[in-house]
Amino acid sequence: MSWRPTYRSSKFRNVYGKVANREHCFEGIPVTKNVHDNHFCAVNAKFLAIVTESAGGGSFVVIPVTQFGRIDPHYPKVCGHHGNVLDIKWNPFHDNIIASCSEDSSVRIWEIPDGGLRRNLTESVLELYGHSRRVGLIEWHPTTSGILFSAGYDYKILIWNLEIGEPVKMIDCHTDVILCMSFNTEGSLLATSCKDKKLRVIEPRSGKVLQEANFKNHKVNRVVFLGNMKRLLTTGVSRWNTRQIALWDQEDLSMPIIEEEIDGLSGLLFPFYDADTRMLYLAGKGDGNIRYYEITLEKPYLQYLMEFRSPAPQKGLGVMPKHGLDVGACEVFRFYKLVTLKGLIEPVSMIVPRRSETYQEDIYPMTPGTEPALSADEWLSGINRGPVLMSLKEGYNRPNKLVFKAPVKEKKGGVVNGIDLLENVPPRTENELLRMFFRQQEELRRLKDELTQKDIKIRQLELDNLTQTV
């Protein structure tokens, strides 16, 4: 039998990365020097948000995506947190709503006006207190409006119903810090990686662990669901301290389907998956390159395509949602790369080379849109529904009619599963002691204001009684 080279026909085998021209980059942004393993960047079709270096609390800037060039050093910031901001995420169904979490143990929801900020924003739409330690991760539910997940250093995941401004569920199955959270397409399953080296698949509404893996040859750092393929992909470190990726069956985590070593570098590998094209992108923290693969259900499962190379190391990467891409240029993915040393944000487009200038339906299938499939109450009651799909040919400019309404809250905190989330936990560090002090100062100030208002009401009632008796 004659030898034949292994060849796969793929429409994505020639995808290449293209860096935006300098005039279409964002310069002069003091990107945070925090070493927390997050991206510190979030982007949607309207705005680009970047966590910045600041003193006396945490802050981030929000810039319209079309406002390229050098950013003024005094550009307005979102600066309401008392500690460093650790994660930011845009609401997938409302382009003006962004969530942030911080070392001050709080999660905050902000509303950004159209056109961006004109002055510093210090008042959030909603303040969510429930964690007893700093909050390192937040994730919006992929199909439900008003549901937000937060993971703290108290080893707990809280599920917030933003329609009432309270936590409604608590997942308490982790024994160490949660490193990553990822949802399947319809949001009925949650995969987490943890510092205890375990990979878990959880039913979020009950908090039940459906599958758990503790594989000695692969220390899991990051995890991502691969769309509807019933597969999970993790990035981590082998027993020889080389970076590697592993593919898992979500219904059987006893052994990975395959493992593949990447290189011997030390930076954390971030996975990004595009369910529409079945392409996986791997970007290392501190690297300048982005590798990309095509994923199949048959062997070899992972097909290496190409590598985008750049001399500038990346601090983190933001990803533009599908409806914000330039379909006329056959752009299938877009990163926003944080280059800390230069204070630079570089858009990097992944492009499928095509000669035709017409809309390419084969590389732009129906994709999750900007309308929620469920309300918060429907999802909490046990209903599962896939995302509402849209066509990028005609639907990407459709206005969203969803309006975010913040509930009126009088208290900070709550009781979930019979546990007081703000019980008196002794502080472990000086920073935690300071955060507790600031929180108590705010509570004292609020109580004093309430007492003053009640004194005024009492005096008014006494005066009314005197005038009636006279």
Side-chain angles (χ1 to χ4, degrees), residues 339-378:
V339 184
T340 310
L341 297 175
K342 299 179 182 179
L344 180 70
I345 314 298
E346 279 184 338
V348 180
S349 298
M350 296 296 168
I351 294 173
V352 179
R354 293 282 173 95
R355 290 182 180 179
S356 174
E357 295 181 359
T358 58
Y359 179 73
Q360 307 291 311
E361 291 191 16
D362 60 329
I363 61 174
Y364 295 115
M366 297 287 282
T367 190
T370 56
E371 295 179 19
L374 294 165
S375 69
D377 291 336
E378 285 175 328

Side-chain angles (χ1 to χ4, degrees), residues 2 14 51 85 130 268 363 382 445 459:
S2 62
N14 294 319
V51 179
V85 175
L268 186 71
I363 61 174
R445 198 177 301 116
R459 287 173 193 164

